[in-house]
Each structure stands twice: as C-alpha cells, then as structure tokens.
Amino acid sequence: MAEKTTDKQKKYDILDTDLEYLINEEEKLQEKLKDSSHLERFAKDLMLFMSLIKDYYQGNYRDIPYKTISAGVVGLLYTLNPIDIIPDFIPFIGHIDDALVLTFCLKLVEKDLQKYQTWKKRQTAAKTATNLKKNT
C-alpha cells in the first residue's frame, strides 16, 4: 500500500513541476499562438487552460481529474517544445503537428474546461459583488 501512495505522490510531484514550468512559460506560449496561423484558433481555450493551471497550482480549484489536467499539460508541453514530430522552424507546416496534438488534448479536457469556466465566472461575479458592497 505504501508503494502505491509513493507512486501517486511521484505523479503529483511531476505534475507540480510541469505546472510550474508552464506558468513560467506562459508568455512564450502566447507568442507562439500569435506567430502561428495554425495555432491561433486555440488561443482562447489555451489561455483558459492556463488560468485553470494557475488556479490548480495555487490550490484555488481542485475539482478536476488528474487525467484531465495531465492531458492538458502534455498538450501544452508538446506545443512549447520546438523539436517535435514536425520541427516548428519549418515554414508553413511546422505547427501542424502542434495543432493536431492540441485538438486531441482539448477534446479530452473539453467538459472539465467548461466546468472550470463556469466556476471561474462565478468567482469573478462574487468578487465583483464583494467589491461593489465595499465601495457603497
């Protein structure tokens, strides 16, 4: 039983390391999304997922299965890696594989991402309402 706990803890430790890396690379991801016509259609969903990553990492939002967060992390890590199946520096086609991986990963996390978006909107509305009460 202790081995299972240790393996589970290792998975979450690796996930935390990956989350921290992605948070630090958010600007690079935004630039990559702007620079590629193949990836720009994913910008809204990826930025929402980045918000989810930050809230998850900070402990604000944990209502998400491990497989969902890890699928999204894998997609983002693949996208940020310049050396992949089709290297990003190849003009016109360098980002096609990134787009395919992102399509697949976003499809896997779609329902949980929508659930997070609803939660995020409620949090924003509650914060706005609290600020309005303070100012009146």
Side-chain angles (χ1 to χ4, degrees):
M1 189 72 160
E3 284 184 38
K4 286 185 181 182
T5 303
T6 303
D7 289 344
K8 187 174 183 179
Q9 186 58 47
K10 284 180 185 177
K11 284 192 326 187
Y12 281 97
D13 289 346
I14 291 169
L15 178 63
D16 281 348
T17 302
D18 290 341
L19 294 174
E20 190 174 335
Y21 171 78
L22 288 171
I23 290 167
N24 291 329
E25 295 294 318
E26 182 177 9
E27 216 173 280
K28 186 177 175 183
L29 178 64
Q30 289 174 345
E31 286 299 315
K32 190 166 187 174
L33 292 172
K34 280 189 236 174
D35 292 344
S36 170
S37 61
H38 295 292
L39 300 178
E40 66 187 350
R41 68 184 179 138
F42 299 106
K44 183 180 172 188
D45 287 338
L46 290 179
M47 290 302 102
L48 179 62
F49 195 80
M50 283 301 299
S51 178
L52 185 154
I53 285 173
K54 290 176 192 172
D55 281 329
Y56 182 89
Y57 186 76
Q58 295 167 355
N60 300 329
Y61 185 79
R62 293 293 175 123
D63 189 20
I64 185 165
Y66 176 82
K67 66 179 183 168
T68 299
I69 193 109
S70 60
V73 166
V74 166
L76 289 173
L77 289 173
Y78 186 88
T79 302
L80 284 169
N81 186 357
I83 306 300
D84 42 36
I85 294 171
I86 303 172
D88 294 344
F89 60 82
I90 298 174
F92 306 110
I93 64 167
H95 295 288
I96 290 175
D97 62 319
D98 295 339
L100 292 172
V101 168
L102 287 175
T103 298
F104 178 74
C105 289
L106 286 172
K107 191 68 177 161
L108 289 174
V109 305
E110 184 176 23
K111 288 180 184 174
D112 290 314
L113 197 56
Q114 289 172 352
K115 187 176 169 184
Y116 169 74
Q117 186 174 31
T118 301
W119 176 85
K120 189 73 171 173
K121 285 178 182 177
R122 277 192 247 131
Q123 296 300 309
T124 303
K127 192 180 284 187
T128 301
T130 302
N131 288 339
L132 287 174
K133 285 180 183 178
K134 286 182 183 177
N135 291 332
T136 55

